[in-house]
Amino acid sequence: MLDVLVLGPVEARYQGTVVPFARRHQRLILGVLALECNREVSCDRLIGLLWEQPAPRQARAAVQSRMSEIRSTLAQYHEDEPVPIVSRGNSYVLQLDPERVDAHRFRTLTAAGRLPGDDEQARHNLRTALALWRGPALGTRPGDAPLSALCQQLEAARLTAWEDLFDLELLLGRHHEVVDEIVELAARHRTRDRLMEHMMLALHRVGRSSEALQGYDRWRRWLDAELGALPRPDLQRLHVSILNNDPGLLAVPAGAAEEASDVPFSAAVPRTLPPALIDFSGRSEQLATLTAALSAQDHRPTRVVAVSGPPGVGKTALALQAAHALRDEFPDGQLYANLRGTDPEEAVPPFDALGRFLRGFNVEGQALPGTLDERAELFRDILATRKVLVVLDDAASDDQLLPLLPGSIECAVLVTGRARLGTTLGARTVALDLLAPDQALDLLSCIVGAERVAAEPRASARLARLCGYLPLAIRVVGARLAAKPHWTIEKMAALCADEQSRLDQLAYQHLDVRSSIALSYEGLPEEARRLMRLLGDVDLPDATVWISTALLGRDVDTAWLALENLFDANLIDVSGRDTAGYPRYRMHDLVRLFAKERAAAEHPPADLAAARSRAYRFCLTLAEREYLRLFGDGGHRVRGDTPRWTPVGVRAGSGARWSPGQDLVGELLAKPMRWFDHERPTVIAMIQKAARDELAGVCWELTSAVAPMFQMRRDFWDLESILWVAQRATEAAGDARGRTAVLCRIALNHVDRSQPDAALRLLTEAAGTFATLADTHAYATTLSLLATVERFLDRNDDALVHYTESMQLLRTSGDEVAVAWVLRGMGQAHLDAKDLPQAREHLEEALRRFRAAGSQQGEATALFWLARLVFAEGRPEEALTGFEQALQIARHLTDRPGEAQCLRGIGLVHRALGDTVQARAALTRALDLVRQPRATLLESHIRRTLDDVE
């Protein structure tokens, strides 16, 4: 049976078990329905209660969403009966016996307490009614104006119940037992005349008449200043009676009134630690660190240890395990407070936490100070000569912690929080990470039994991996398996395998991974929440500043701040640095799934698609910039019409393909190939995702830009993968030009793979398609590639024909790089034909044009072939200089095949000079640079040369 508690923070309990509701609005909606149980509550009324007017535009949708979540949660506890919340038009009804709601029980008991008859029974009824209260009705706070108005009648009834109770207590002569309660309530509720009357009478009867008179005087002056009123005549008469020490005021049995006691204060020994987990496992190293840092053997001036980590990583479990292990070290008490810092709406103020701590030391009633500073001072004073361990769980910030710290070095403080805490307090910090795979299996074994895990080792390892080695997730699946002994671990793993429903599977009773992450998410600034959603949606290997800049469509500083907010909340972690020096971040798999869910729930699909498109296009901008620096503007690359993207505040020049004016871009690309080396997995993922988003233009242009870089790194496996993706994307889109550009890249890969016939077939097809499309430039560059393959096939005459035709078409195009590549090819063809003068003319012209166009890779290749020409002319020493010049450029570009080619040339020179040792060393190094499981054309050439040397 469901019980709903609204006299304090809203709680739902099903047969004694707390039903978890992670969101405050879920709890407030349920509380309002409970107050109005069996009566309709309209959606408009709920909106008016939950938000100050005007309400947000999405308020109705939010109420409907929260209502759906409430029903879904309650459904887990009502398997054999309907969920008690029903919709009626635009309204909702909670169908529930009123006595299952504490507010209705309160009204019943207070009504019984006012019936004439047995005073003791009436007193018992009123005490029972008031004991139902756990705080302000519905857990309202300052600022909850609409809700406070709703609860005002209940709060007034509560005060009336207290007044009725005090009437009875004083009638029964129990003034000693209630005097401090009355004084505290009267101080908080000065407009309640009855409480003032009770206070004066109770204080007088326990021998504290001077306090009664002083209290009356302060209250009288307050009434005059604030309300312009005087005390009621009966209170004025009571004041006079106390002044005259009227015996009639002592209307209690003889001997009941005692003189005020001067018994000295005696502190209790509070032991408020929650129980440690029975099945705690792993973390032995961190546990040893905590106990050593907190124990008496550690003589650090401030014994404060702060444990931080992401949601669900087991911070509280570790802290309680350490605290219980150290109980004997702190014989004067162990204090615990859950500060609820993850949820700003629920965070416990230091004032309230100190109140609880001081009450634990028997500081009650009027002795409890009324200001934060006074409470902190008293707390430090009490602990000054005691050995006490203070555990502050789920703290929000160092500011929240500071008033709660004792001043004695004999005490110790253990803090947990998702934020990285304690740095301003001199605390020793312990960062808690995910479990190691073997630790995860140990934890699972502790929960479900070692026999079950041993019986299904592969399924157990898979389940731990699907849980991301997160302790909370493993504890959830373990609890579910323990409750279902007939389930196999393989079944549980299969349920968790689907990413779309995995978070649904990782919830059981009060354990819920989604809710745990949601608490951190809700506490983020809006820009950080938006970035988290977009990162979850795009789902890339790493989160970087440049990717975040594009996703948000904002400037670099905004993106970095949002990332750091996510880092501070332990929702992402640092995994390295990018080439601009910014941190690289990584999001845990379960956090990513949560972010993806929130993205789908909170963004229209078009917004998500636009953010992904910006990221793809910024990646294309960077890849294109890297290409241009390596190979120059033009050449064999076919360009499409995909709009580029640059960060906010950067103006790309008219007709520019990228903007060099943004510092971030320049910093990322400061060194050749470093950006590509760092971002290779991200580039691959973006190509695949662009294809999935049916952005064929981005897909093939990005593939075309980075394909030569994959070849420079001899990464043929990934190169073939992205080429296949781009080919399929262009075919699906019917993009003939894009598909043909990809075919050219596939053909060049065939050349590298010593498959010239396949390359020739593809390039012939490509040339025909470009001719049909009337794309003269692409047709001309394809002819030059076709000629290069013909050279490899010893068809030199055909090659020269195609080179010549290509040259005629390109000379008027303004593409200096493309002309230079053709000239270099013609020079190679003439060199093959032993026409050395013609070869020199073309190669020198190619070198000049490469240098003029800024194509460093092209310059290196021209220098290499000029050195080969000089070597063929019988001048090995001069050739060596040329090879070394080319080698220097190749190494600057980190061009591995270029470096290997130059080393091969150097090896040839050393062999010709008779230095076989140097020749072998150069060739061996060259072979190491390009060695592949399946030999490439360059590797075959180097091996043959090395064989000749040996």
Side-chain angles (χ1 to χ4, degrees), residues 481-546:
L481 286 167
K484 302 278 189 182
H486 56 288
W487 279 20
T488 64
I489 295 176
E490 178 59 43
K491 175 179 176 61
M492 191 73 248
L495 290 173
C496 293
D498 182 3
E499 283 197 350
Q500 291 187 340
S501 63
R502 189 177 303 166
L503 291 179
D504 295 329
Q505 302 299 331
L506 297 179
Y508 185 70
Q509 295 188 16
H510 66 284
L511 301 175
D512 189 344
V513 171
R514 180 188 282 114
S515 296
S516 178
I517 299 170
L519 287 172
S520 292
Y521 170 77
E522 295 291 351
L524 292 169
E526 173 51 35
E527 201 74 353
R529 289 202 301 271
R530 178 170 173 249
L531 178 59
M532 181 174 167
R533 296 191 297 267
L534 296 177
L535 287 170
D537 175 67
V538 75
D539 187 13
L540 293 168
D542 284 327
T544 59
V545 169
W546 70 266

Side-chain angles (χ1 to χ4, degrees), residues 636 711 714 716 719-720 723 743-763 782 784-793 803 824 828 901 934-941:
H636 300 135
Q711 288 176 309
R714 317 313 280 166
F716 294 108
L719 174 58
E720 289 167 6
L723 288 170
L743 288 183
C744 291
R745 289 298 175 192
I746 295 173
L748 291 175
N749 188 50
H750 281 312
V751 173
D752 260 331
R753 289 298 206 178
S754 301
Q755 297 166 340
D757 291 324
L760 191 68
R761 184 172 61 255
L762 290 176
L763 289 170
T782 305
S784 72
L785 295 175
L786 189 63
T788 299
V789 176
E790 288 169 335
R791 275 188 45 247
F792 292 149
L793 292 170
Y803 277 136
R824 197 209 71 177
Q828 291 173 263
Q901 186 78 290
R934 191 174 69 193
T936 61
L937 180 64
L938 177 56
E939 185 178 344
S940 299
H941 287 327

Side-chain angles (χ1 to χ4, degrees), residues 141 274 316 335-357 390-405 413-418 421 425 519:
R141 297 164 174 228
T316 300
L335 294 170
Y336 172 86
N338 183 350
L339 300 180
R340 305 186 184 280
T342 308
D343 186 349
E345 294 183 352
E346 300 283 351
V348 176
F351 180 85
D352 293 349
L354 284 168
R356 287 181 56 190
F357 286 167
V390 183
V391 179
L392 302 173
D393 193 18
D394 193 16
S397 66
D398 288 1
D399 289 340
Q400 187 187 28
L401 293 172
L402 188 58
L404 307 177
L405 300 182
V413 181
L414 177 53
V415 179
T416 76
R418 298 185 181 184
L421 299 166
L425 307 175
L519 287 172

